[in-house]
């Protein structure tokens, strides 16, 4: 039975991956945790619940990130085992609060504390050192308009909380007949909150449009692939002449040489900018001539050449762009497609100015997964967010569509449109509320498409207050732990000894102590 439960925990933990692209069964997220939670609540001991929480977390990581196998190879399993530990506190909460026959008060507390425990695991693994915030449960709702409205209030974190709360309510409805009233109240509360946000929260105020051309060259292989890709990008960009774009965006690693060291490339890009009638935002993946190391940099090029506007990527992909503790794990380069040399990190975010006055906030690939980065750019005045990406290594996997979907969330969170431009697809554009703009460019496309990107003014609650759902969850969990500690201390304290009754004299009067 123990082995069957262990296998069931891995399978149940992997189930939510179907809610994400490419399957994109978003509705499944509202019940995908139920089998795992039913298993945890029936665990005979806390140790068993911790084990099944760990196994389920590892199963979730492998399932959501399975497309990383070509790069991480054997490292994916130990990495999943490490990250799976983050679900142990959540598993213990599920067993303690939902196990047995919880009273209505305990059931009501579970509707907040169990989602808070889940969010704790998401917050911890969102640190770049643990891989970053890919596969957050709330991100599965990227195409659901009410969920995107919630993201503008509390980011993807608030969406995750509500999704887990609904799963918790379903568990109570299925397994705890005495707590059904609390479960129904919990679901009704989630519905009311969503309705209030949908009806009463002001939407971003339209403030014009920006014509953005996305250049996607498509898959180009071979030893001279970089030069041939540049030629394709050149041809596609030249075809934009007469379409009057305000900005042309190329994907990540679209230029393979430092422009300061290659004046011929700078001149060709400047000529393209003049021909298209708009500045080009290219991405240089090369060793810099003015400082040591390889950088991935967003560079703005105008008709006169590079404008001086440059952003160096800050958050790098573990193993793909650098190897953590290379002195210990450097042998990974001989196993998978790990970085042979670590890329260098940029100093800070940059907001760039376009000729017409619009300001853009560039992000490079993996960075579009981080809500805090796009929030910072929006707070610094970026009117359009631009992510330059390349997922060519994972061309036939779920990765391209998963990555593109993140742009919808970043748009909704910040109230700013986002352009997701890739080398090989999927390229997509989303408006200020996360709605799709135009058609996406699939992985089979090689094209240059102009999008009429709607601009907006105003500030969302998420940009203003940040990740307040995370802070609220941590505070709630801290209070719960403190109350448990106080109860444990009181339960372990010996009862005070009863005082001796006063002695009586022969006359029947009580003798006082000390007399």
């Amino acid at each position: 039975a123990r082995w069957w439960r262990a296998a069931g925990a891995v399978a149940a933990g992997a189930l939510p991956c179907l809610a994400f692209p490419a399957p994109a069964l978003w509705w499944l997220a509202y019940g995908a945790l139920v089998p795992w939670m039913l298993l945890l609540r029936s665990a005979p001991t806390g140790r068993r619940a911790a084990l099944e929480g760990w196994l389920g977390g590892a199963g979730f990581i492998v399932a959501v990130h399975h497309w990383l196998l070509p790069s991480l190879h054997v490292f994916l399993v130990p990495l999943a085992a490490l990250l799976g530990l983050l679900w142990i506190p959540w598993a213990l909460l599920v067993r303690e609060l939902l196990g047995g026959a919880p009273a209505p008060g305990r059931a009501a507390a579970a509707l907040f504390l169990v989602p808070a425990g889940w969010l704790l695991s998401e917050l911890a693994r969102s640190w770049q050192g643990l891989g970053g915030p890919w596969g957050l449960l709330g991100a599965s709702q990227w195409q659901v308009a009410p969920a995107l409205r919630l993201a503008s209030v509390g980011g993807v974190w608030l969406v995750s909380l509500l999704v887990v709360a609904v799963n918790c309510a379903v568990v109570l409805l299925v397994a705890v007949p005495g707590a059904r009233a609390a479960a129904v109240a919990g679901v009704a509360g989630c519905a009311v909150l969503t309705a209030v946000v949908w009806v009463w929260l002001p939407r971003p105020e339209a403030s014009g449009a920006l014509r953005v051309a996305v250049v996607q060259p498509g898959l180009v292989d071979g030893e001279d692939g970089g030069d041939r890709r540049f030629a394709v990008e050149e041809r596609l960009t030249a075809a934009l002449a007469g379409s009057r774009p305000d900005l042309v965006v190329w994907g990540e690693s679209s230029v393979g040489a430092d422009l300061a060291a290659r004046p011929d490339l700078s001149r060709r890009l400047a000529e393209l900018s003049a021909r298209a009638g708009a500045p080009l935002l290219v991405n240089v993946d090369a060793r810099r001539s003015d400082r040591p190391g390889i950088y991935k940099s967003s560079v703005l090029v105008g008709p006169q050449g590079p404008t001086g506007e440059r952003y160096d990527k800050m958050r790098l992909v573990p193993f793909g762009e650098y190897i953590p503790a290379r002195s210990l794990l450097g042998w990974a380069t001989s196993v998978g497609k790990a970085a042979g040399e670590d890329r260098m990190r940029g100093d800070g975010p940059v907001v760039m100015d376009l000729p017409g006055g619009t300001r853009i906030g560039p992000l490079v690939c993996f960075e579009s997964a981080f809500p805090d980065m796009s929030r910072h750019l929006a707070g610094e005045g970026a009117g359009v967010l631009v992510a330059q990406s390349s997922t060519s290594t994972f061309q036939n996997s779920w990765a391209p569509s998963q990555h593109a979907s993140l742009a919808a969330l970043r748009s909704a969170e910040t109230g700013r449109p986002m352009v997701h431009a890739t080398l090989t697809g999927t390229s997509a554009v989303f408006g200020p509320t996360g709605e799709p703009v135009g058609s996406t460019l699939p992985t089979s496309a090689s094209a240059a498409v102009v999008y009429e990107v709607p601009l907006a003014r105003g500030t969302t609650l998420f940009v203003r207050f940040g990740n307040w759902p995370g802070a609220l969850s941590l505070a709630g969990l801290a209070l719960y732990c403190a109350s448990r500690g106080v109860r444990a201390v009181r339960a372990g304290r010996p009862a005070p000894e009863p005082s001796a009754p006063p002695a009586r004299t022969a006359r029947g009067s009580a003798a006082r102590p000390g007399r």
Side-chain angles (χ1 to χ4, degrees):
R2 288 197 298 269
W3 287 107
W4 279 110
R5 287 183 64 95
V10 174
L15 181 61
C17 78
L18 298 176
F20 295 88
L25 305 177
W26 62 266
W27 46 268
L28 183 63
Y30 295 93
L33 298 180
V34 171
W36 190 7
M37 294 170 72
L38 289 174
L39 188 69
L40 294 172
R41 72 178 295 272
S42 66
T45 64
R47 180 177 296 181
R48 189 71 200 179
L51 174 63
E52 291 167 358
W54 172 52
L55 292 173
F60 176 81
I61 293 296
V62 170
V64 173
H65 299 82
H66 70 274
W67 44 268
L68 282 173
L69 279 169
S71 292
L72 291 185
H73 210 282
V74 296
F75 282 95
L76 183 57
V77 173
L79 179 63
L82 172 64
L83 295 178
L85 297 172
L86 299 175
W87 273 271
I88 289 179
W90 176 73
L92 295 174
L93 276 172
V94 170
R95 179 180 182 272
E96 182 167 336
L97 295 173
L98 297 178
R106 180 152 62 101
L111 289 170
F112 172 74
L113 292 173
V114 169
W118 178 277
L119 200 63
L120 179 65
S121 68
E122 293 198 339
L123 292 172
R125 69 186 180 91
S126 293
W127 177 50
Q128 188 207 344
L130 290 179
W134 196 288
L136 304 183
L137 192 59
S140 65
Q141 306 302 296
W142 65 278
Q143 56 187 326
V144 182
L148 292 173
R149 295 284 289 157
L150 288 170
S152 72
V153 176
V156 66
W157 318 109
L158 181 58
V159 183
S160 288
L161 275 179
L162 264 65
V163 170
V164 181
V166 172
N167 277 271
C168 187
V170 172
V171 170
L172 290 172
L173 288 171
V174 169
V176 188
R180 287 175 179 169
V184 171
V187 173
C190 292
V192 168
L193 174 61
T194 304
V196 168
V197 168
W198 179 263
V199 173
W200 296 106
L201 191 72
R203 285 166 169 76
E205 183 181 353
S207 62
L210 190 77
R211 290 176 60 80
V212 179
V214 173
V215 176
Q216 179 179 299
L219 190 62
V220 180
D221 293 323
E223 293 183 1
D224 60 342
D227 292 336
R228 290 193 294 116
R229 181 189 301 116
F230 190 92
V232 174
E233 292 165 330
E234 236 179 347
R235 174 175 55 81
L236 293 173
T237 304
L240 293 170
S243 60
R244 298 178 292 104
D246 299 306
L247 175 68
V248 180
V249 183
W250 290 13
E252 180 188 17
S253 305
S254 49
V255 178
D258 182 57
L259 295 180
R262 291 285 304 274
D264 58 317
L265 290 182
S266 293
R267 185 170 56 254
R268 289 164 69 179
L269 289 171
E271 291 172 355
L272 280 175
S273 174
R275 190 168 179 179
L280 275 60
L281 186 69
V282 300
N283 190 270
V284 179
D285 184 359
R287 195 175 304 278
R288 289 184 61 163
S289 58
D290 59 341
R291 63 177 67 175
I294 301 175
Y295 288 80
K296 285 193 174 183
S297 307
S298 301
V299 179
L300 196 64
V301 181
Q304 307 304 318
T307 64
E309 301 269 29
R310 180 189 187 110
Y311 165 67
D312 298 320
K313 186 176 184 180
M314 298 168 56
R315 296 183 182 175
L316 306 176
V317 180
F319 293 96
E321 294 172 337
Y322 79 102
I323 295 182
R326 182 176 283 273
S327 59
L328 296 175
L329 302 176
W331 56 272
T333 57
S334 63
V335 179
K337 298 179 180 179
E341 179 181 349
D342 291 351
R343 267 43 176 185
M344 307 299 289
R345 302 178 190 275
D347 298 325
V350 174
V351 177
M352 301 178 179
D353 296 298
L354 297 182
T358 302
R359 309 185 74 197
I360 62 172
L363 298 165
V364 182
C365 196
F366 177 60
E367 294 178 327
S368 68
F370 291 85
D372 65 301
M373 296 194 73
S374 53
R375 173 178 175 251
H376 179 85
L377 291 171
E380 291 296 313
V384 179
L385 303 173
V386 180
Q388 296 174 293
S389 174
S390 172
T391 51
S392 56
T393 304
F394 317 106
Q395 189 72 355
N396 298 314
S397 71
W398 295 359
S401 53
Q402 277 189 22
H403 199 179
S405 71
L406 296 175
L409 286 159
R410 302 295 87 84
S411 294
E413 289 169 344
T414 60
R416 297 292 181 266
M418 187 162 188
V419 177
H420 180 80
T422 73
L423 290 181
T424 60
T426 301
S427 297
V429 178
F430 297 91
T433 59
E435 77 282 9
V437 175
S439 58
T440 61
L441 291 177
T443 55
S444 59
S446 176
V449 177
V450 178
Y451 294 86
E452 194 80 15
V453 181
L455 303 178
R457 63 170 64 94
T459 303
T460 65
L461 293 177
F462 177 70
V463 170
R464 189 175 303 170
F465 299 110
N467 184 14
W468 60 265
L472 184 63
S473 297
L474 292 176
L477 291 170
L479 287 174
Y480 174 72
C481 292
S483 65
R484 286 296 309 272
V486 169
R487 288 200 299 270
V489 169
R490 288 179 176 174
R493 183 183 302 166
E497 296 183 2
S499 57
R504 294 188 174 273
T505 63
R507 295 181 180 179
S509 61
R512 302 295 180 187
R515 289 190 178 182

